[in-house]
Amino acid sequence: MNPYRDLPAERFWRKAVAGVPPFAIDPGPRNVFRIGRTDRVATAGSCFAQRVSQALARGGFHYHVTETAPDGMSAADASSRQYGTFSARYGNLYGPRQFVQLFDRAFGAFDPDLKAWRREDGRFVDPFRPTIEPNGFADEAAVIEARDLHLARVRELFESLDVLVVTLGLTEGWRCRADGAALSLAPGVAGGRFDPDEVTFVNASTAEVTADVSGFLDRLWSVNAAARVILTVSPVPLIATYRDGHVLVANAHSKAVLRAAAGEVCERGDPRLVYFPSYEIITSHTNGGRYYEEDQRSIAEAGVAHVMRTFMASFSPGLGEKRDLPPSHASEAEFAGTAGVVCDEETIERSLV
């Protein structure tokens, strides 16, 4: 009696990987919940999360946005201010602690001491989403007013969404010493002043990430018990590390921690939660690095297309083939252009110029 004898082909490397053209490898989950065209699908996380939202919107699915641009605002202005980039204007949420605290802030369970950062030009920004207003705010009061409106839309989002696609991006981050508030960027990068007595660098462990992901899910399901969640890990490498070592090693460590934690949470068997392998599709050596651009960080059009083919086959079989694809010459420019707007992490390099 050989326990491997009757396993399906997808369990064997020779049949599912070596014996399949790289572009046709499909490691997506099977026998999971389906996404219908009328389901309200929301996205949150690192910059790669918006790739899903773009593809879903093009395919005629209901991309759920609760924080929309004011009437009369031009499309260019709305884009620069990140209306519709994610389902609400929370900017990049790189680490699980940011998800937990966003929920707690939206529902009144956490009020960070830090309210605003002053920029070098005298304008102010929201330290928890420092790039959503390119021109900044006039004063701290304006930051707080905009924050309160934003958090109201976040509450609405969590209570009304049907499906949430969460993309985990980083384990490295910065937190306020006073109350543990998690920041998307270090002070001094997009506003504020770096003071090691006020903030501390954190590199979250697997146990901490697991606890934070679980904590966020419990919170979400406490206000929306029917919400379905797709958890994935961003294949976009770190742009910089604050650890003492090479960024390549730091990136491998960070992604391994996120992947291990995501797997541990998803393997608990809740039918409302599914892991989707976008990270594995993009980073697999089988595609010979073709899914990255020349900077070895930006995701190429072919990689995004492979991820979304697999996504549709897993969650909307039969519908993905019917979606309207943009002209091939436009796709790469669209993805590349958007990445520079919403990836707060890229501000680190720009701030050094």
Side-chain angles (χ1 to χ4, degrees), residues 156-221:
E156 178 186 349
L157 176 70
F158 286 148
E159 292 173 339
S160 61
L161 62 83
D162 295 311
V163 179
L164 176 62
V165 182
V166 172
T167 304
L168 304 178
L170 301 174
T171 56
E172 293 190 20
W174 297 88
R175 296 179 193 169
C176 297
R177 292 184 183 275
D179 55 11
L183 305 169
S184 62
L185 290 172
V189 174
R193 179 178 63 87
F194 179 71
D195 184 344
D197 291 331
E198 295 181 355
V199 297
T200 183
F201 172 74
V202 176
N203 192 26
S205 67
T206 306
E208 183 177 354
V209 173
T210 300
D212 282 341
V213 173
S214 298
F216 171 71
L217 292 172
D218 289 342
R219 287 166 169 78
L220 175 63
W221 287 330

Side-chain angles (χ1 to χ4, degrees), residues 261-298:
E264 185 172 330
V265 175
C266 291
E267 286 172 5
R268 294 173 183 172
D270 193 307
R272 298 171 294 182
L273 177 65
V274 175
Y275 177 78
F276 179 75
S278 59
Y279 175 77
E280 289 82 349
I281 293 171
I282 297 297
T283 63
S284 172
H285 66 274
T286 57
N287 58 60
R290 288 187 291 270
Y291 288 171
Y292 284 99
E293 300 288 6
E294 289 185 6
D295 63 2
Q296 299 303 308
R297 185 172 184 271
S298 303

Side-chain angles (χ1 to χ4, degrees), residues 26 50 52 77 84-85 112 155 157 177 220 228 233 236 249 271 320:
D26 182 359
Q50 73 165 334
V52 176
D77 194 17
T85 298
R155 288 196 301 274
L157 176 70
R177 292 184 183 275
L220 175 63
R228 291 160 284 164
V233 173
V236 179
V249 177

Side-chain angles (χ1 to χ4, degrees), residues 237-260:
L238 280 69
I239 201 165
T241 180
Y242 197 72
R243 297 178 65 196
D244 183 14
H246 198 286
V247 66
L248 187 69
V249 177
N251 180 70
H253 174 90
S254 185
K255 300 300 183 180
V257 166
L258 294 173
R259 179 60 185 93

